Amino acid sequence: MTHELKTIIQQYEKRQQSGEASVLATVVALDGSSYRRPGVRMLIFENGDMVGAVSGGCVEKEVLRQAQSVFSSKVSKVMVYDGRYRLGCEGILYILLEIFKPNKPFLTQFWDTINKRSPFFINSFYKKEQGESKNYHTVFHFDDTSFFVNPTAENLSDELPRFKQEMHPCFKLVIIGAEHDAVQLCKYAALTGWEVTIVANPKEEKTENDFPGINKLIMVEPETFQLKMDEQTAVIIMTHSFVKDLQFLIALKEEKGAYMGLLGPLRRREKLFDDLLERCPDLSEEYLEQIHGPAGIDIGAETPQEIAISVLSEILAVVNKKEPSLLKDKVGKIHV
């Protein structure tokens, strides 16, 4: 959800000069099932523009309508949306609406935390009932510094029920390779909200304009490539060059992240592993076991676009510790 919050902050900053008021909507509790879970947010501007969504699109009009009283009174409120009688979702949403007016130190600290890929926490204080209260508020916690989303709400009581959310660094996908299939994978990963880094050979003369949705382009030879991976970083090697794939595998041999994939058939992977072990006999078994090759889930993918979906699906399954299956065969809740 961090990437959605980034978008909210970006759009807020773009409108700062106009002085337009905004209201932050946060799903703080849920009874039953719903399209999105607690922690999802959207921003409403006074002219009716909205950034983000708290559902699949069926709740937002009511959120906009309920936000009007917050614009008028400047007092936070909790709205209760019972989807059982409107949507058939069998869920009741509790949504906190509050004035969103972060100050400059807040915004500076937020982007510093995002750029450092550090986690942070958000606490929202509310009651699980329809109504207004000056004590309803949200606080962001960055390391040892805390900020209210509405500075005028400082020094309020924190004895109310609390929704606490840990925000992780944005998920990052590093694509090693710059051919047409890498372009498609970049595009689809960016649509998912991931930060995408493309690693290309300097001789290829690529630019960021070649990759829709790219966050960063690195032009580097395999011999000098360095990458620090974390639990929110996935890598896929797809240079379409056996030698370069091998060199990048060697460069990453000390790293462990959320996912590491290798494009190409099984026989090619086995040959790469043989050469890799010959060059690096002390290579850990753990490193080889974390490599998913051939990368992707078997969905009958043929085109670059379909292959991108297959690869992204496997990354999501691995990260979320799920065994891919048809939802129609699942017994019980979709979200656990």
Side-chain angles (χ1 to χ4, degrees):
M1 293 182 185
T2 304
H3 69 278
E4 295 172 321
L5 187 56
K6 274 180 58 180
T7 302
I8 285 174
I9 299 290
Q10 286 169 342
Q11 293 303 313
Y12 172 80
E13 288 182 312
K14 284 183 180 180
R15 301 211 186 193
Q16 267 193 303
Q17 292 183 346
S18 67
E20 191 173 356
S22 59
V23 166
L24 182 67
T26 306
V27 177
V28 289
L30 167 66
D31 292 336
S33 63
S34 181
Y35 188 85
R36 296 295 303 268
R37 290 185 285 176
V40 64
R41 295 173 177 81
M42 64 181 288
L43 192 66
I44 304 103
F45 289 100
E46 203 161 14
N47 69 350
D49 290 345
M50 295 181 284
V51 180
V54 294
S55 74
C58 40
V59 182
E60 284 65 28
K61 287 183 180 179
E62 181 64 16
V63 174
L64 175 61
R65 189 183 72 82
Q66 296 262 2
Q68 300 313 304
S69 66
V70 181
F71 282 119
S72 301
S73 67
K74 311 300 180 188
V75 177
S76 302
K77 70 186 289 188
V78 169
M79 62 168 281
V80 180
Y81 191 95
D82 193 337
R84 295 175 300 176
Y85 305 108
R86 314 187 196 192
L87 312 175
C89 290
E90 299 183 355
I92 304 173
L93 291 170
Y94 299 86
I95 304 173
L96 173 62
L97 304 174
E98 58 191 318
I99 292 294
F100 186 72
K101 195 177 181 181
N103 56 27
K104 188 173 181 180
F106 175 109
L107 297 172
T108 300
Q109 186 66 54
F110 175 82
W111 289 117
D112 184 57
T113 301
I114 292 295
N115 293 331
K116 287 181 178 178
R117 297 186 60 76
S118 300
F120 58 99
F121 294 88
I122 304 175
N123 285 327
S124 292
F125 298 89
Y126 69 101
K127 281 187 178 179
K128 203 174 174 182
E129 60 187 29
Q130 180 84 30
E132 298 182 340
S133 174
K134 292 181 179 179
N135 283 318
Y136 294 165
H137 64 284
T138 295
V139 185
F140 280 59
H141 302 277
F142 307 104
D143 294 327
D144 298 327
T145 309
S146 299
F147 295 94
F148 288 73
V149 299
N150 179 8
T152 63
E154 292 185 6
N155 301 318
L156 296 179
S157 170
D158 58 1
E159 295 180 358
L160 291 166
R162 175 180 64 172
F163 169 65
K164 183 176 181 180
Q165 183 179 20
E166 181 178 3
M167 305 297 287
H168 301 284
C170 289
F171 196 83
K172 180 166 71 173
L173 176 62
V174 180
I175 302 173
I176 300 177
E179 300 298 336
H180 177 63
D181 52 356
V183 174
Q184 302 305 316
L185 183 57
C186 176
K187 183 190 301 183
Y188 280 64
L191 286 172
T192 307
W194 298 354
E195 293 181 349
V196 184
T197 295
I198 297 287
V199 178
N201 192 288
K203 297 176 183 177
E204 293 180 286
E205 298 182 351
K206 299 288 185 178
T207 70
E208 291 187 355
N209 292 332
D210 295 316
F211 304 95
I214 189 174
N215 180 256
K216 185 178 182 181
L217 174 63
I218 299 175
M219 307 294 289
V220 65
E221 295 284 356
E223 298 86 350
T224 56
F225 176 67
Q226 291 183 328
L227 177 68
K228 186 65 177 176
M229 296 180 68
D230 57 35
E231 293 180 352
Q232 290 292 106
T233 301
V235 171
I236 180 159
I237 301 173
M238 48 192 301
T239 69
H240 295 277
S241 163
F242 184 91
V243 173
K244 285 185 171 57
D245 280 3
L246 178 60
Q247 291 172 325
F248 279 113
L249 284 170
I250 293 172
L252 292 168
K253 62 185 176 67
E254 302 298 332
E255 295 298 325
K256 179 174 176 58
Y259 171 94
M260 188 176 294
L262 180 64
L263 202 69
L266 181 63
R267 183 178 298 179
R268 183 177 186 272
R269 182 201 70 184
E270 292 305 304
K271 190 173 187 311
L272 274 168
F273 281 9
D274 288 343
D275 285 16
L276 183 60
L277 287 169
E278 186 175 333
R279 296 197 184 196
C280 308
D282 296 330
L283 195 69
S284 70
E285 186 176 337
E286 183 182 15
Y287 176 67
L288 292 179
E289 288 180 348
Q290 75 168 327
I291 299 173
H292 295 260
I297 289 174
D298 186 5
I299 55 174
E302 292 284 348
T303 68
Q305 293 82 0
E306 293 171 349
I307 292 170
I309 293 171
S310 169
V311 171
L312 293 179
S313 298
E314 182 183 40
I315 295 173
L316 282 170
V318 170
V319 170
N320 294 323
K321 297 179 174 59
K322 295 287 186 179
E323 189 69 31
S325 63
L326 299 178
L327 285 178
K328 74 181 186 68
D329 297 330
K330 185 178 177 66
V331 178
K333 296 180 179 180
I334 295 175
H335 299 296
V336 179

